[in-house]
Amino acid sequence: ENGATMDIQATRTETDTAGQLSIAETMLQNNYNALVLSPLTNECLDTAVATAKDAGIPIVNANCEYIADADVFVGGLQIEIGHKAADYIAEKIGEKGKVAILEGVSGTFTSIQRVNGFNEQIANYPDIEVVASVPGDYEMEKGMNVATDILTQNDDIDAIYCCNDNMALGAVEALRNAGKLGDVVVIGVDGTGDAYKSIHAGELTATVDQFPDTNGRVAVEVALRLLGGQEIPRVVSTPIEVVDEENAADFDK
């Protein structure tokens, strides 16, 4: 609509930081006018970002991980995701019980923020105990394995908070294998299509949707506005919403 062309590239996994840097370096060689980057970790694209900054290329940091030298960050506030998930779980389990956390990639900004936000908010419910907090690297299979271990050690667990939907779907499979599907609240993050399907099937309890379609659209608009010389705030916040079977039809993918 604005006479711009756009190329989109991504890594195959959420842990291939070297591959993502290689993609970014190739993009720089192609002389793009602006870059919209969603890094896998805070620092993995730093060298490419420094080169782009030296060349005067506007950089929009989209979605989750934080680029210190980006011109604008566009996305949901990750600590708020943890807050919303904690309040949702507390309501679903009657403000008492045992909860486990499946963290993302250890040490990454997004995982830290989502976990810290959850722990901050769950502390407001003194009868809820966090019995485990273990990295699942955002991967479904590892999420399933970690959830299986947690269930083995805590057979009376009431809820599992997963820092993305891949791990949440893995936790669903772990519960299915343990014969506990439907007995334990499971909430993920991101609002993927597969998460919505699982919610409609009565398996996954909920997801904290970041509405990536909105996030992507706003990020591109911000890039175009930067190219047009407009001044944009350092942070442009996009919506976050807890989605479960009661309101999933309102947001269906």
Side-chain angles (χ1 to χ4, degrees):
E1 293 177 359
N2 291 276
T5 58
M6 179 169 59
D7 292 333
I8 303 173
Q9 297 188 56
T11 58
R12 288 182 174 272
T13 71
E14 298 202 43
T15 55
D16 186 10
T17 55
Q20 191 179 51
L21 177 60
S22 177
I23 289 171
E25 290 171 341
T26 300
M27 286 179 165
L28 291 172
Q29 296 173 14
N30 290 336
N31 298 316
Y32 293 108
N33 299 104
L35 296 174
V36 179
L37 304 177
S38 181
L40 296 175
T41 68
N42 287 4
E43 298 85 15
C44 70
L45 299 182
D46 279 358
T47 56
V49 167
T51 302
K53 294 289 285 186
D54 289 343
I57 300 171
I59 298 171
V60 178
N61 177 187
N63 195 20
C64 299
E65 303 296 344
Y66 182 75
I67 300 174
D69 289 335
D71 296 285
V72 180
F73 172 82
V74 178
L77 302 182
Q78 301 304 300
I79 202 160
E80 185 181 344
I81 287 172
H83 291 166
K84 286 181 177 289
D87 285 336
Y88 181 85
I89 282 178
E91 180 182 356
K92 294 293 285 187
I93 67 174
E95 299 188 7
K96 62 181 179 180
K98 296 182 178 180
V99 179
I101 301 171
L102 267 60
E103 305 169 13
V105 175
S106 182
T108 58
F109 175 81
T110 296
S111 181
I112 291 170
Q113 291 291 93
R114 292 178 182 179
V115 171
N116 285 352
F118 184 87
N119 284 328
E120 284 178 5
Q121 198 69 7
I122 212 71
N124 294 320
Y125 304 97
D127 293 327
I128 294 179
E129 178 187 4
V130 177
V131 297
S133 187
V134 184
D137 293 346
Y138 296 127
E139 296 175 359
M140 182 175 178
E141 184 175 357
K142 187 163 185 180
M144 180 179 69
N145 293 337
V146 170
T148 298
D149 291 342
I150 290 172
L151 289 166
T152 300
Q153 298 170 28
N154 303 274
D155 62 357
D156 56 347
I157 200 161
D158 298 287
I160 304 174
Y161 165 54
C162 306
C163 285
N164 84 339
D165 286 336
N166 289 340
M167 295 187 298
L169 294 173
V172 165
E173 291 308 309
L175 289 167
R176 192 195 314 278
N177 294 337
K180 294 179 177 291
L181 188 60
D183 298 333
V184 178
V185 172
V186 182
I187 183 170
V189 178
D190 287 335
T192 65
D194 285 342
Y196 271 72
K197 290 177 184 176
S198 186
I199 289 169
H200 284 306
E203 298 174 342
L204 180 62
T205 313
T207 181
V208 186
D209 198 340
Q210 298 193 87
F211 306 105
D213 51 347
T214 300
N215 183 270
R217 184 173 66 252
V218 173
V220 171
E221 181 177 342
V222 166
L224 291 168
R225 288 178 180 270
L226 289 172
L227 288 172
Q230 295 185 22
E231 291 189 10
I232 305 292
R234 178 64 178 85
V235 174
V236 177
S237 180
T238 53
I240 298 169
E241 184 75 43
V242 176
V243 177
D244 61 13
E245 61 182 356
E246 293 185 5
N247 63 351
D250 297 334
F251 303 109
D252 254 331
K253 305 282 176 168

